[in-house]
Amino acid sequence: MSDTDTDPDTDAGATGESLRTPIVAVLGHVDHGKTTLLDKIRGSAVSEGEAGAITQHIGATAVPLETVSNMAGSLVDPTDFDLPGLLFIDTPGHHSFSTLRARGGALADIAVLVVDVNDGFQPQTVEAIDILRRTGTPFIVAANKVDTTPGWNAQEGSPIKQTYEAQSDRARSMLDENLYEVIGNLSDEGFSADLYWRVQNFQKNIGVVPLSAITGEGIPDLLAVLMGLSQRYMKEEMAVDISGPGKGTVLEVKEEKGFGATLDVVLYDGTVREGDTVVVGGTNEPIVTEVRALLQPRPNAEIRTEKRFDKVDSVAAAAGVKIAAPDLDEAMAGAPVRVVRGRERDAVVEEVRKELAQIEVDTEEEGVVVKADTLGSLEAMANALKEAEIPILRAEVGDIAPRDVAVASTAGEDVHRVILGFNVDVLDRAERELDETGVKLFRDDVIYQLVEEYDEYVEEQKRAQQ
Ligand code: GDP
């Protein structure tokens, strides 16, 4: 008895429905250990020593169920699961998280919010929580750096509950103090949270996993909670028509020698094949083009060797892949990618246009000019400014161009003759115009700092006028 026995007209299973890998993103405040955690998960998976322990994708790492289970030991019994594993997005941080949108929400299915237990909640922790709340993304908290607890007796790679119970009373109570502070912070943000082994319902409560990205203690628990949560609450969302036309999100637009502009894409639905017609969100209009090549990182490729990629014929969700195709110069990071195969091309173009239009920014008659590198970050900027009650005259994706300066220079009041640039460069000609017009420019790659800088400037202006 298999799905292929059933009538294709009456059974969705016959169209190739299968369970895809949940997509996991890691976010949190700078230096709280996001990169170390991802490296440790990848490293531990590889040191499991088996071929295929992990697969390196473009922009992501796939950890198959078998490897998860090897790493998590008794915490993950593979026979309890039918999801294929976990796909970790390699670029940590909430900037990339908010860039990675899909279907109007977040591309990631689950997030790991990393919090340094000694440092507790910091501005970017709160910023990340705001984004998770807004996108309705389920998350768990990795209470990182437990190994720095005074008197901590580390047990490399062990499940944390075991290590935790083996500590001296003094070490445990010091850690507890920090953990309960984090749980209290979560509660201040409106989330009921507890140590993960006390959580019954992960949909209602946030599980906190104490761990160390250095010693690996608690990583088995983190993987087990991620797997359990996806299997229990997200299975329906993971059921996709794997043979259907692919849907994905652009991570990055990159020049590649011999290929021109290429797209690094995370595919969350369907399949993309060489030769497929695809529609991609561009800075002005959706771009329609044809896939020349699909590229995956070559295993063990030397950084300096010419051949860093292998060509593949097709890629199925969930996966990260590089797409080489003509006319991608105007493609945008964060924009949707859709395969047209078997569908009306115009309808797909319309779909892409609609998805792009979902990012709406309320603009006013007077206000500042905002530029950001991706749609997601533009949206995050617009939300932060709204919260801070800073009006926006115009908001666009892209580097700061002379036109932006011209627009800002007509903005009236001094406090509005301002451009706020998030993660963008200034074009040479725009630099000259800035000098000539006296338009103020603030640039940063941290949203709250940009808002703070601007607020300080407004205060200064006010004082100067008194
Ligand atoms: P990111 O900015 O969040 O990606 O943070 P990193 O992963 O770069 O980590 C910041 C610093 O904290 C680095 O020096 C890491 O070695 C250190 N670090 C990260 N995780 C741990 C941990 O679990 N224990 C200890 N002792 N140090 C850690």
Side-chain angles (χ1 to χ4, degrees):
M1 171 69 207
S2 78
D3 280 341
T4 47
D5 297 334
T6 51
D7 180 350
D9 290 333
T10 56
D11 192 322
T15 60
E17 192 151 290
S18 54
L19 293 172
R20 70 159 170 86
T21 318
I23 301 169
V24 185
V26 175
L27 50 174
H29 194 75
V30 63
D31 282 346
H32 280 199
K34 301 176 292 292
T35 312
T36 313
L37 177 63
L38 279 164
D39 285 349
K40 186 71 178 181
I41 291 171
R42 279 190 293 251
S44 320
V46 170
S47 67
E48 286 299 315
E50 302 145 48
I54 58 164
T55 317
Q56 204 56 58
H57 290 219
I58 293 288
T61 304
V63 188
L65 175 61
E66 201 188 329
T67 308
V68 171
S69 145
N70 285 339
M71 288 163 71
S74 60
L75 298 180
V76 173
D77 176 350
T79 60
D80 290 341
F81 296 90
D82 46 18
L83 291 174
L86 299 165
L87 185 77
F88 287 90
I89 293 176
D90 284 341
T91 320
H94 65 263
H95 169 52
S96 72
F97 179 84
S98 54
T99 299
L100 296 175
R101 303 160 44 87
R103 306 144 289 183
L107 171 66
D109 302 297
I110 318 181
V112 176
L113 178 64
V114 179
V115 182
D116 178 335
V117 276
N118 304 303
D119 213 16
F121 267 40
Q122 293 298 325
Q124 284 171 293
T125 320
V126 177
E127 224 169 82
I129 286 192
D130 285 340
I131 297 169
L132 293 169
R133 192 188 286 125
R134 204 164 57 235
T135 52
T137 310
F139 66 98
I140 60 174
V141 171
N144 191 29
K145 309 199 188 181
V146 298
D147 62 296
T148 58
T149 308
W152 188 258
N153 180 11
Q155 296 178 24
E156 288 277 330
S158 303
I160 196 66
K161 213 175 146 217
Q162 183 181 315
T163 325
Y164 176 85
E165 275 158 13
Q167 301 300 317
S168 67
D169 286 348
R170 190 176 142 70
R172 201 170 47 240
S173 76
M174 284 179 107
L175 176 60
D176 275 347
E177 206 170 293
N178 286 339
L179 290 174
Y180 281 102
E181 175 124 17
V182 170
I183 290 170
N185 289 143
L186 283 160
S187 155
D188 293 342
E189 290 294 326
F191 292 99
S192 132
D194 208 340
L195 295 174
Y196 89 87
W197 56 82
R198 298 202 189 119
V199 172
Q200 301 286 336
N201 182 335
F202 282 89
Q203 248 179 343
K204 282 203 187 130
N205 301 305
I206 306 290
V208 176
V209 183
L211 56 78
S212 163
I214 296 276
T215 67
E217 293 160 279
I219 288 184
D221 312 61
L222 182 79
L223 295 171
V225 174
L226 285 172
M227 239 12 253
L229 207 153
S230 339
Q231 178 75 29
R232 186 120 182 235
Y233 304 109
M234 307 179 107
K235 210 171 132 177
E236 273 170 29
E237 292 155 56
M238 297 304 115
V240 297
D241 176 3
I242 216 97
S243 61
K247 293 181 181 178
T249 302
V250 178
L251 269 179
E252 252 186 283
V253 184
K254 267 192 191 158
E255 281 293 321
E256 248 12 292
K257 225 175 156 186
F259 293 103
T262 65
L263 306 179
D264 287 2
V265 169
V266 172
L267 202 67
Y268 60 82
D269 197 355
T271 294
V272 55
R273 299 186 191 131
E274 198 188 300
D276 271 342
T277 300
V278 287
V279 182
V280 186
T283 40
N284 294 311
E285 277 289 287
I287 300 161
V288 182
T289 183
E290 201 163 285
V291 177
R292 282 261 167 84
L294 295 168
L295 307 167
Q296 288 284 23
R298 185 161 241 233
N300 312 318
E302 297 271 325
I303 302 287
R304 285 176 187 283
T305 55
E306 286 281 292
K307 207 167 173 317
R308 286 159 51 220
F309 305 109
D310 281 327
K311 279 194 189 184
V312 291
D313 296 336
S314 73
V315 175
V321 65
K322 185 182 281 293
I323 295 181
D327 305 323
L328 291 176
D329 295 300
E330 304 267 289
M332 257 190 314
V337 182
R338 295 272 184 286
V339 171
V340 172
R341 193 183 344 113
R343 303 194 287 167
E344 288 284 333
R345 176 185 142 152
D346 290 350
V348 180
V349 169
E350 222 24 62
E351 233 177 74
V352 167
R353 214 193 294 274
K354 259 199 200 132
E355 194 163 320
L356 291 174
Q358 280 175 358
I359 298 150
E360 285 209 346
V361 176
D362 294 334
T363 53
E364 316 274 339
E365 297 278 313
E366 274 195 27
V368 298
V369 171
V370 182
K371 299 291 295 227
D373 58 340
T374 71
L375 286 172
S377 54
L378 189 67
E379 186 178 45
M381 267 299 287
N383 281 314
L385 293 175
K386 193 172 183 179
E387 227 157 78
E389 295 179 6
I390 300 169
I392 301 170
L393 174 66
R394 183 201 290 256
E396 278 175 359
V397 170
D399 287 334
I400 294 158
R403 196 168 67 98
D404 302 314
V405 184
V407 170
S409 71
T410 62
E413 273 186 80
D414 273 358
V415 292
H416 293 148
R417 291 162 54 87
V418 167
I419 301 176
L420 302 180
F422 179 68
N423 253 335
V424 289
D425 288 327
V426 185
L427 302 178
D428 284 344
R429 281 173 302 127
E431 201 91 65
R432 273 205 305 276
E433 298 249 339
L434 281 167
D435 287 340
E436 282 167 19
T437 57
V439 166
K440 281 288 267 186
L441 168 66
F442 296 93
R443 272 199 306 156
D444 211 303
D445 51 11
V446 179
I447 291 181
Y448 75 89
Q449 278 173 7
L450 201 49
V451 174
E452 259 176 33
E453 280 169 49
Y454 177 69
D455 276 342
E456 271 165 30
Y457 169 72
V458 172
E459 286 303 312
E460 263 169 40
Q461 293 294 106
K462 271 192 199 151
R463 275 199 299 273
Q465 275 175 10
Q466 278 165 6

